[in-house]
Amino acid sequence: MQYDLVVVGGGPAGLAAAIEAKENGVEKILLIERDRELGGILQQCIHNGFGLHIFKQQLTGPEYAERFINILKEKNIEYITNTMVIDITDKKEVYILNEKLGYKKINAKAVILAMGCRERTRGAISIPGFRPSGIFTAGTAQRFLNIEGYMVGKKVVILGSGDIGLIMARRLTLEGAKVLAVVEIMPYSTGLTRNIVQCLKDFNIPLLFEHTVIDIKGKSRVEGVVVAKVDENKNPIKGTEIYYECDTLLLSVGLIPENELSKKAGVIIDKRTSGPFVTESMETNIEGIFACGNVVHVHDLVDYVTLEAKRAGKAAAKYINGTLKRDGIKVVTINGRGIRYVVPQIINVNNSNEVTLFFRVDNIYKDCKLEVRLNEKVIKSIKKNKVTPGEMETVNIDFSKLDVKQDDKLFVEVKE
Amino acid sequence: MYDVLIIGAGIIGTSIARELSKYNLKVCVLEKDNDVANGTTKANSAIIHAGYDAKNGTLKARLNVLGNKMFDELCRDLDVPFKRIGSLVLAFDDNDVNTLHKLYDNGIKNGVKDLYILSKEEVINIEPNVNKTVKAALYAKTAGIIGPFEMAIALAENAYENGVEFRLNSEVIDIKKEDVYVVYTKNEKFKARYVVNCAGLYADKINDMVSKNRFKIIPRRGEYYLLDKSVKLVNHIIFQCPTKLGKGVLITPTVHGNTLIGPNAEDLEDKEAINTTREGLRFVLDTAKKSVEDIPVGMSITNFAGLRARTELDDFIIKEAEDSKGFINVAGIESPGLSAAPAIALYVLDILKSSGLEFVRKNNFKNKRKGIIKFSDLSFEEKNELIKKDSRYGRIICRCEEITEGEIVDAIKRPLGATTLDGIKRRVRAGMGRCQGGFCSPRVMEILSRELKVKMEDIIKDHEGSYILTGPTKKEVD
């Protein structure tokens, strides 16, 4: 089997990337999805709030996905579901597995990685206690409720104030469960402010900052959890324990880009993002292998995933028709003070005059400036009332107006 | 009426059951839980020890060394993962070096082959990640790693195939001695000429039902970290010098390619206290850092705790009760119990023999057990051939461990098959990987529900009462 472009993953990133590639002249595209249907995690996000930036509309997850799925079908882009990509080589050989085709090798001219991310688990943060049933990651619980149609519990404590956790607090309440508390180890939420208001405050669900779950009780099913306040080193403070009698513990403690396949292909992972190092064209260190969406870095809004995926789709098309430039001046982006990471990490100015930088701050800052410097020179300074790690920031840089040299450094920093 | 009734389907009960199934005997295994291998067998270091550690002259020493030699053939016959990767005991000061020599001498006395004292350079050469302050190490080439619950499940399946009966969910509540033994569970009673007590943590309770010679099982908890497969810390089983509390915290690859770190040792009263603790986990990590400084704890995928069934004696208790002929205790099987298990089975057969049980070999004994096909281990061609025969092997259910629907269905359909999420996990590893079942558990439950013809709400994680779903979501209102 031979394709021009193979897109791994049929969520928002993969869909937009495939469509954009087709619009830019790529003929033979195959999009591969491991689940039963296209749309990825959007299909279980039945709440609204998607598409505000791109469509200026409040769509639900499935509605947002449907728009792209319809275009994909209209454009006759080939796709297969229920299919697992088992391996990808640096020669862009993609090994797939499904019931109809069996185990097959596909040769591709270019590959776009769009596998998304997975949830951090209890094991990753080593919550002590028993290991009963009734402990779910928020996304798994969301799938049980919204796709499978089952409730996961009656009295719930949620650890972590990530967006899925907040959304699930509201969803479970609407389904008749009692959400006793949302517990967050940090002094701030990692979710969107609008979700804290609409999902917790509107339902009188308490949000405890600087608290964590220190013990899980129950030998068969969860019977309760012990929550305690933490000190500045995140160690529980004795005497602050609160016992919640509950049958369910939901975890919304972070997302990890899913790059096991990327690594098999020799793609180098940036420790700051847990995703591949990418260029302005969303190309990884392996020529012709691109990446976009949550596999690169965890986004807050799907709209940004779509924008990033379009970049990858367009660049893959250029790569396939031989117009993606390799030579040219390369600038490196650097996360300076107060910034956790910047994507893309490398910019070839020859390929694009205007580049959007995506980045996240590492703490809450009030009345500050987000500053971009080219070496020593400040080229952009944006005033902000408040920035939080839960919300991704973006800055557009127009390189046509800048005098850049090879290996110049582009710093992004928070100035208080 | 049974010839032999075995109480407990852990590694010891299943080892004895399989050994007895070679003979024309009517044998039944009673297990209180809903699956085999669901106690201490499922939560331990998964090591087949070489046998230098246990004190010369003890049953532990003798049966460890004997048992160790039996694993190659046994694992080949039963299709169980086992690797002889060798173990190292690290010494960090002169005292430790002294201990190494004592262990070496004890090992030689115990009859352990292939024991060597390695120099610092030799250690670092084969284990580049160990702490550079290491001075020397005791290398035991014959030590190995195994899947302990896979082993017990395989033994049980093979015993079953050879005619042994298994009664799950059958907790023994009383035993009466009439002309034969009458063993009571909640709903049934079983008559048997011989009873073998392999009840692990509860062996004292079972003994008390029969014998006046009491002993006490002290649950000794050990907590562990399991790290992601992408972490490669060590090539051998890495021990520190033993202390009073046992062989200490080890770091080892598992037979499936993860890294296992633990255990600590804490004596408790509660026989069900398999909870991890903040202090215990911290101790494990801090102690392990002495062996390997740089442990990527962020790559932890799960923690667990197991309880060793120890007694105050420094040895296994394997003997016929003096005041009750035909009742055999196999108790206090703490480390190296797993390593000794095949030899313990032979030893118990000897006891039964000298107690008058007559052994006649079956001529149709099947020594081989066909394990569940590991799809991801097959070649390109084999994979395609298998999918052609059964398309369910073309559907990956567990992404992390690459487990197909075909494997999961096999785990359910085979004798003593899985009925719970954890039962599936122990048989085929679905849910054992880095996402810990986040993606696959809804799919696995669906398959369990379909194959066992039970409702989704009735699927449980592990023990009775470990339900996962509480009912359907609200229905649409017209």
Side-chain angles (χ1 to χ4, degrees):
Chain A
M1 292 164 93
Q2 173 77 48
Y3 284 87
D4 292 332
L5 173 64
V6 166
V7 180
V8 185
L15 287 167
I19 291 165
E20 191 70 12
K22 183 83 175 186
E23 282 177 358
N24 282 273
V26 182
E27 274 309 312
K28 222 167 146 35
I29 302 174
L30 178 66
L31 181 140
I32 303 168
E33 168 56 41
R34 56 192 165 193
D35 217 326
R36 301 189 259 226
E37 53 190 357
L38 294 174
I41 297 301
L42 281 175
Q43 296 290 11
Q44 68 186 53
C45 299
I46 60 171
H47 54 282
N48 64 1
F50 298 91
L52 276 168
H53 290 252
I54 289 190
F55 299 114
K56 312 289 173 215
Q57 257 180 302
Q58 291 247 21
L59 303 177
T60 65
E63 283 169 346
Y64 189 95
E66 198 186 8
R67 294 201 173 192
F68 291 87
I69 295 169
N70 287 342
I71 300 171
L72 189 91
K73 289 178 179 168
E74 278 163 26
K75 293 192 176 294
N76 286 315
I77 297 171
E78 199 181 330
Y79 68 92
I80 35 173
T81 54
N82 282 316
T83 304
M84 194 74 187
V85 175
I86 302 290
D87 202 359
I88 302 174
T89 68
D90 55 1
K91 295 184 187 66
K92 295 176 280 286
E93 299 155 317
V94 181
Y95 289 84
I96 63 160
L97 177 71
N98 72 23
E99 286 178 279
K100 284 196 199 107
L101 298 169
Y103 191 43
K104 287 278 165 319
K105 184 173 103 174
I106 301 173
N107 291 299
K109 288 179 189 162
V111 172
I112 296 179
L113 305 171
M115 292 88 75
C117 56
R118 66 167 177 270
E119 298 178 280
R120 285 178 86 201
T121 64
R122 173 188 181 181
I125 54 173
S126 289
I127 306 173
F130 284 92
R131 301 199 301 151
S133 67
I135 305 165
F136 301 88
T137 55
T140 301
Q142 190 178 43
R143 178 164 190 116
F144 272 125
L145 264 83
N146 297 346
I147 305 272
E148 322 285 338
Y150 292 99
M151 271 299 272
V152 295
K154 291 182 173 130
K155 283 170 97 176
V156 187
V157 169
I158 300 176
L159 175 63
S161 60
D163 285 311
I164 318 170
L166 299 174
I167 294 287
M168 284 310 291
R170 175 175 65 186
R171 183 79 183 95
L172 285 160
T173 307
L174 293 174
E175 281 291 341
K178 175 82 185 152
V179 179
L180 302 170
V182 174
V183 178
E184 169 62 58
I185 195 167
M186 302 302 284
Y188 53 81
S189 169
T190 50
L192 294 169
T193 310
R194 73 165 193 230
N195 282 336
I196 293 175
V197 175
Q198 294 168 9
C199 300
L200 300 187
K201 289 197 177 146
D202 290 357
F203 293 89
N204 293 318
I205 297 169
L207 171 57
L208 279 70
F209 287 119
E210 296 181 284
H211 279 72
T212 193
V213 173
I214 59 161
D215 200 6
I216 298 171
K217 309 277 189 196
K219 287 171 185 175
S220 298
R221 173 80 187 195
V222 172
E223 287 166 17
V225 298
V226 181
V227 167
K229 195 169 169 42
V230 295
D231 63 20
E232 59 273 18
N233 299 316
K234 310 278 172 279
N235 289 318
I237 303 168
K238 271 223 160 79
T240 63
E241 295 86 357
I242 315 167
Y243 181 68
Y244 288 98
E245 194 192 303
C246 59
D247 62 11
T248 305
L249 174 65
L250 241 56
L251 303 174
S252 178
V253 291
L255 300 168
I256 307 161
E258 206 157 36
N259 278 293
E260 279 66 34
L261 268 179
S262 322
K263 287 182 206 159
K264 285 186 183 175
V267 169
I268 299 172
I269 304 301
D270 185 343
K271 276 190 176 161
R272 295 167 295 189
T273 54
S274 301
F277 281 93
V278 288
T279 66
E280 77 299 326
S281 305
M282 303 309 292
E283 191 176 25
T284 67
N285 61 302
I286 306 287
E287 225 185 276
I289 298 187
F290 299 80
C292 56
N294 282 350
V295 84
V296 178
H297 60 124
V298 176
H299 295 62
D300 55 346
L301 298 178
V302 71
D303 304 62
Y304 292 134
V305 169
T306 302
L307 291 175
E308 194 180 275
K310 281 184 166 182
R311 242 201 261 173
K314 198 172 182 175
K318 275 190 182 178
Y319 174 80
I320 291 163
N321 69 29
T323 56
L324 189 69
K325 289 177 189 124
R326 303 257 147 232
D327 54 341
I329 295 164
K330 291 188 186 76
V331 175
V332 181
T333 62
I334 291 177
N335 56 319
R337 193 189 160 271
I339 304 294
R340 198 183 289 160
Y341 70 78
V342 182
V343 168
Q345 291 88 338
I346 303 147
I347 297 165
N348 182 340
V349 180
N350 253 3
N351 272 322
S352 177
N353 272 335
E354 191 159 314
V355 174
T356 307
L357 304 180
F358 293 116
F359 56 93
R360 280 186 196 253
V361 294
D362 64 4
N363 209 332
I364 288 190
Y365 298 95
K366 285 179 181 162
D367 300 319
C368 62
K369 279 185 221 158
L370 296 175
E371 212 172 79
V372 183
R373 277 190 291 120
L374 184 65
N375 299 325
E376 306 306 318
K377 195 181 152 213
V378 178
I379 55 168
K380 217 148 209 187
S381 180
I382 304 155
K383 271 197 177 161
K384 289 273 178 183
N385 292 333
K386 188 184 170 190
V387 288
T388 95
E391 300 189 9
M392 207 169 75
E393 301 292 335
T394 60
V395 172
N396 289 321
I397 306 291
D398 186 354
F399 283 96
S400 65
K401 292 182 187 123
L402 296 170
D403 177 27
V404 287
K405 296 181 297 301
Q406 181 68 20
D407 295 329
D408 271 355
K409 290 182 174 67
L410 202 61
F411 293 88
V412 182
E413 278 177 347
V414 178
K415 286 269 162 158
E416 279 178 284
Chain B
M1 168 123 121
Y2 294 96
D3 293 311
V4 184
L5 204 62
I6 297 168
I7 302 171
I11 187 69
I12 302 302
T14 55
S15 290
I16 295 168
R18 198 254 180 178
E19 206 52 49
L20 287 173
S21 74
K22 293 176 179 171
Y23 302 90
N24 280 319
L25 295 166
K26 207 165 145 48
V27 180
C28 179
V29 180
L30 300 180
E31 166 56 47
K32 74 173 163 57
D33 228 317
N34 58 14
D35 200 356
V36 301
N38 215 1
T40 299
T41 302
K42 76 172 175 188
N44 54 73
S45 302
I47 304 294
I48 302 306
H49 295 281
Y52 52 77
D53 188 77
K55 201 172 143 203
N56 184 250
T58 59
L59 264 183
K60 275 186 180 176
R62 202 175 107 206
L63 298 174
N64 182 167
V65 175
L66 211 64
N68 179 297
K69 291 179 190 154
M70 296 169 72
F71 275 91
D72 302 275
E73 194 189 329
L74 203 52
C75 291
R76 222 177 298 129
D77 281 352
L78 299 178
D79 199 0
V80 172
F82 171 61
K83 290 176 190 162
R84 278 194 198 276
I85 58 168
S87 69
L88 292 172
V89 183
L90 305 182
F92 293 98
D93 55 35
D94 293 343
N95 247 339
D96 284 356
V97 175
N98 243 335
T99 308
L100 293 191
H101 285 282
K102 278 185 198 150
L103 287 172
Y104 177 89
D105 293 343
N106 191 58
I108 298 297
K109 268 194 241 162
N110 287 351
V112 180
K113 297 258 160 36
D114 294 322
L115 275 180
Y116 310 93
I117 303 267
L118 303 187
S119 69
K120 176 188 181 117
E121 289 68 33
E122 287 170 317
V123 177
I124 289 172
N125 198 22
I126 58 170
E127 285 295 353
N129 288 335
V130 300
N131 197 324
K132 300 292 179 286
T133 57
V134 67
K135 289 195 101 171
L138 174 67
Y139 175 45
K141 208 176 163 184
T142 57
I145 50 177
I146 197 168
F149 36 88
E150 285 104 321
M151 181 82 201
I153 289 166
L155 287 161
E157 283 180 13
N158 187 242
Y160 178 92
E161 244 194 296
N162 285 302
V164 173
E165 289 177 39
F166 281 80
R167 299 296 181 98
L168 303 174
N169 301 305
S170 299
E171 183 177 354
V172 172
I173 50 174
D174 199 10
I175 304 172
K176 291 213 165 69
K177 173 135 199 217
E178 295 165 12
D179 48 336
V180 293
Y181 288 98
V182 186
V183 177
Y184 294 84
T185 63
K186 205 171 150 197
N187 301 313
E188 285 178 281
K189 64 178 183 183
F190 301 83
K191 286 186 176 173
R193 293 164 62 206
Y194 291 86
V195 172
V196 184
N197 172 17
C198 314
L201 291 161
Y202 294 90
D204 50 357
K205 269 181 73 180
I206 299 292
N207 174 67
D208 291 355
M209 294 174 188
V210 178
S211 173
K212 289 200 171 57
N213 305 325
R214 311 228 149 162
F215 55 83
K216 190 175 182 244
I217 299 287
I218 306 151
R220 177 174 280 182
R221 181 167 59 196
E223 302 176 43
Y224 295 86
Y225 275 91
L226 189 69
L227 305 187
D228 191 278
K229 282 183 175 174
S230 63
V231 177
K232 300 288 173 214
L233 282 186
V234 293
N235 309 310
H236 303 79
I237 307 151
I238 306 294
F239 294 102
Q240 295 171 8
C241 279
T243 66
K244 271 185 202 133
L245 282 173
K247 288 185 268 291
V249 173
L250 61 85
I251 305 177
T252 180
T254 70
V255 84
H256 299 290
N258 297 91
T259 299
L260 183 67
I261 304 174
N264 59 340
E266 188 186 353
D267 288 345
L268 304 166
E269 284 294 324
D270 185 355
K271 292 180 195 257
E272 300 288 326
I274 50 165
N275 52 319
T276 53
T277 64
R278 193 181 168 77
E279 299 72 30
L281 290 173
R282 173 168 291 180
F283 173 84
V284 164
L285 210 56
D286 288 348
T287 312
K289 281 178 180 164
K290 193 176 159 190
S291 300
V292 175
E293 278 173 294
D294 195 12
I295 294 172
V297 65
M299 299 302 282
S300 158
I301 62 170
T302 191
N303 302 118
F304 65 88
L307 296 168
R308 316 158 176 94
R310 65 176 288 268
T311 65
E312 261 151 19
L313 289 171
D314 222 9
D315 208 353
F316 301 145
I317 299 172
I318 308 175
K319 57 181 182 189
E320 190 169 30
E322 278 155 27
D323 57 354
S324 198
K325 195 174 148 55
F327 180 82
I328 291 119
N329 279 312
V330 189
I333 311 297
E334 58 175 332
S335 180
L338 174 61
S339 321
I344 290 175
L346 293 181
Y347 188 69
V348 169
L349 255 66
D350 282 343
I351 296 173
L352 288 167
K353 223 174 269 175
S354 52
S355 179
L357 182 64
E358 49 303 324
F359 285 81
V360 180
R361 279 232 176 229
K362 261 180 211 165
N363 42 28
N364 58 348
F365 173 73
K366 286 175 236 147
N367 67 323
K368 294 237 193 282
R369 167 249 185 195
K370 213 174 146 15
I372 298 170
I373 294 169
K374 282 171 202 70
F375 183 81
S376 63
D377 287 354
L378 301 180
S379 71
F380 192 93
E381 291 74 26
E382 287 169 331
K383 281 180 178 160
N384 279 311
E385 237 162 77
L386 188 59
I387 297 168
K388 241 180 245 163
K389 266 190 253 159
D390 185 343
S391 68
R392 291 176 296 189
Y393 286 95
R395 191 171 167 229
I396 296 272
I397 300 296
C398 166
R399 303 169 184 181
C400 303
E401 297 289 316
E402 278 178 24
I403 310 300
T404 63
E405 180 171 7
E407 291 161 90
I408 292 170
V409 171
D410 188 1
I412 299 168
K413 293 275 168 152
R414 60 176 43 226
L416 301 170
T419 58
T420 64
L421 264 188
D422 282 3
I424 296 282
K425 189 163 136 179
R426 284 192 288 274
R427 283 166 179 79
V428 296
R429 298 184 58 74
M432 202 72 111
R434 50 180 68 96
C435 91
Q436 288 287 295
F439 287 120
C440 71
S441 58
R443 291 285 77 76
V444 174
M445 287 171 68
E446 205 174 75
I447 297 168
L448 275 166
S449 159
R450 184 190 71 209
E451 297 296 328
L452 299 173
K453 298 185 176 60
V454 295
K455 289 200 300 192
M456 282 286 276
E457 294 98 309
D458 294 336
I459 304 289
I460 54 173
K461 176 183 177 281
D462 191 5
H463 303 290
E464 194 189 339
S466 62
Y467 62 92
I468 296 152
L469 304 172
T470 55
T473 48
K474 287 179 184 169
K475 293 284 166 276
E476 235 175 282
V477 184
D478 295 326

